[in-house]
Amino acid sequence: MTPQLAKQAASSDTDGEGPSRDEVFTALSNRRRRNVIKYLKTNGTEARVRDIAEQLAAWENDVEVPAVTYKQRKRVYTALHQSHLPKLAASGFIDYESDRGLVSLTEESRQLEVYLEIVSENEILWAEYYVGLAVVCGLLATAGWTGTAPFGAVSGYAYAALFTLVFGASGIAHRASTKRNRLG
């Protein structure tokens, strides 16, 4: 690869601002790092490493925070301190003051939101929903245009109003679902 092609590839990956996709994926490739971001988004943008370690240990061991043992908390704390928090800090997603034991989100962490949205197992993907909705609307419009009974009796304006209403309601539902599924 020529130096110019390498430069173009690098600039297209970062778009000139913020972390590259590779940095984002590397930072989020580990569940503990994702859970650190989740904890900070849910419980305020700043926290003590001890509190984060305690909550992550509870999540990992499927217990309540008071039931976390010293050994469970220590194992998570050590991994956070030695590996995960420095990696998130190096990517610019958090500020990590190891001497004070404090972690806080940075403005760069907002770029992680799109990667942290959750789609439940029983949810249909919105892209599939909209394609299906477009197919149904297209079939209705075709039936009305060809005069198929009873669809031919409905005016084009009524179909336009119906489709606008359906897509508008779908957009509002999509927005509400996206807000609900975001971490924090």
Side-chain angles (χ1 to χ4, degrees):
M1 181 182 279
T2 67
Q4 185 167 358
L5 286 175
K7 186 185 263 185
Q8 286 175 343
S11 68
S12 69
D13 199 27
T14 62
D15 294 340
E17 357 177 315
S20 70
R21 266 202 257 173
D22 287 342
E23 289 173 315
V24 170
F25 289 143
T26 298
L28 298 177
S29 67
N30 183 278
R31 174 173 273 166
R32 280 191 179 152
R33 289 192 290 271
R34 290 189 305 272
N35 282 337
V36 166
I37 301 298
K38 176 182 175 182
Y39 179 88
L40 291 170
K41 285 184 171 290
T42 304
N43 297 300
T45 60
E46 183 176 272
R48 296 181 318 171
V49 177
R50 175 192 161 115
D51 296 335
I52 297 170
E54 193 170 54
Q55 181 62 67
L56 268 59
W59 287 337
E60 290 175 12
N61 293 287
D62 201 23
V63 297
E64 294 295 322
V65 171
V68 172
T69 66
Y70 171 79
K71 188 176 180 179
Q72 292 168 333
R73 182 176 46 248
K74 182 68 173 169
R75 186 178 63 241
V76 173
Y77 181 90
T78 301
L80 288 176
H81 181 67
Q82 292 178 350
S83 175
H84 302 301
L85 296 177
K87 193 167 280 193
L88 285 170
S91 297
F93 300 122
I94 63 167
D95 285 326
Y96 175 43
E97 300 177 45
S98 60
D99 55 330
R100 295 180 56 208
L102 291 176
V103 179
S104 59
L105 289 175
T106 64
E107 287 297 315
E108 293 288 328
S109 68
R110 289 181 187 219
Q111 296 182 14
L112 300 175
E113 286 183 20
V114 70
Y115 299 98
L116 292 173
E117 290 182 11
I118 300 168
V119 177
S120 301
E121 290 179 29
N122 59 352
E123 272 188 60
I124 187 171
L125 296 175
W126 281 105
E128 293 172 2
Y129 171 81
Y130 284 115
V131 167
L133 188 59
V135 167
V136 169
C137 289
L139 290 172
L140 283 173
T142 302
W145 179 63
T146 59
T148 305
F151 304 106
V154 179
S155 77
Y157 294 115
Y159 278 119
L162 173 67
F163 296 164
T164 301
L165 181 66
V166 168
F167 274 96
S170 296
I172 291 168
H174 186 169
R175 176 74 174 133
S177 173
T178 301
K179 284 181 84 170
R180 181 183 68 245
N181 287 340
R182 280 202 177 139
L183 297 178

